[in-house]
Amino acid sequence: MRNKDFKYFPLVISAPSGGGKSAVRDRLLKKDSRFRFSITCTTRKKRKGEINGRDYFFVSESGFKSLIKSGKLLEWAKVHGNYYGTPARSVERILDKGFIPVMTIDVKGAASVRKRFPHAVTVFLLPPGLNALEARLKKRGESIESVKVRIATAMKEIERSYEFDYAVINDKLENAVKDIIGIVSAESMKVERNAGCIYEFKKQLQR
Ligand code: ADP
Ligand code: 5GP
């Protein structure tokens, strides 16, 4: 296992629904080979264009409950009436291989991940404003009712943005992605994440 608890850290991205987590994540994965998507499980219905095993593992409610019972989930939450949860093994496998798991999860899930991985890097993605958020939700095909529910939830989520390490505004997608790449690069160069190579060099100097 490669220094799982430090050098290779999970990247958690939360945002209100429609804030751009999936769009940013997809672009991030295309642009930078350090990242791997940590696919999560959900009981919600597939949206148009979504694929089982690529976007989510779509499971039944009873299937999800047995995952909880067997302790296979690193964290889980009920969001907008559906269950969502991260299989612990998928995050661990990505870290073991020396990649950065990208976790696009809700604010409660982010808090649970931080407990299990205190060295995780957490980013709260903000839409440029309420009008843009509404427009993006509608563009995605959410009903008027669903937009209302998501905006009401956004009010609660924004209160928890202060728990995150970074706030990134998702105005132009490309800029938000660049900002996150910058954050991850700076984080990975932190002295405490590089204790191993510093120690190795020190040993060579002492020879
Ligand atoms: P989330 O995963 O946070 O719920 P999505 O990634 O599904 O949000 O984004 C919601 C909608 O907004 C999608 O149709 C997406 O293509 C669009 N979108 C995301 N980011 C931007 C952006 N920077 N500019 C314009 N549209 C965007
Ligand atoms: P959506 O249905 O729009 O894809 O996702 C709804 C919300 O659930 C989003 O905030 C999304 O990030 C969150 N979510 C997706 N997967 C998980 C997960 O495994 N755990 C938690 N806690 N939230 C998740």
Side-chain angles (χ1 to χ4, degrees), residues 21-136:
K21 293 176 293 294
S22 312
V24 164
R25 177 194 68 216
D26 291 350
R27 193 74 196 107
L28 205 55
L29 292 168
K30 276 206 183 105
K31 255 191 114 147
D32 193 319
S33 60
R34 288 176 295 178
F35 299 108
R36 291 289 180 274
F37 175 35
S38 129
I39 305 168
T40 64
C41 301
T42 183
T43 60
R44 89 146 157 72
K45 287 204 172 69
K46 248 189 247 173
R47 289 194 189 115
K48 215 175 139 214
E50 284 183 330
I51 296 174
N52 186 40
R54 184 195 70 183
D55 300 286
Y56 280 107
F57 296 115
F58 293 95
V59 298
S60 64
E61 197 160 316
S62 61
F64 194 93
K65 285 186 178 156
S66 53
L67 286 174
I68 299 176
K69 254 197 194 154
S70 58
K72 293 209 168 109
L73 298 180
L74 172 63
E75 61 77 36
W76 64 272
K78 199 170 183 184
V79 188
H80 307 136
N82 297 301
Y83 290 97
Y84 294 85
T86 307
R89 274 305 292 144
S90 59
V91 175
E92 282 159 7
R93 234 180 258 144
I94 296 171
L95 288 169
D96 285 352
K97 287 184 183 152
F99 293 103
I100 296 172
V102 182
M103 308 177 70
T104 44
I105 59 178
D106 86 316
V107 290
K108 288 178 234 122
S112 310
V113 171
R114 226 177 285 115
K115 277 193 200 134
R116 167 65 186 84
F117 296 104
H119 65 303
V121 174
T122 58
V123 173
F124 193 86
L125 202 58
L126 282 158
L130 182 56
N131 289 345
L133 180 62
E134 271 179 354
R136 287 178 190 177

Side-chain angles (χ1 to χ4, degrees), residues 139-154:
K139 182 179 115 188
R140 193 173 71 187
E142 300 292 344
S143 66
I144 306 277
E145 197 42 49
S146 149
V147 171
K148 269 195 201 151
V149 171
R150 281 164 167 72
I151 299 237
T153 310

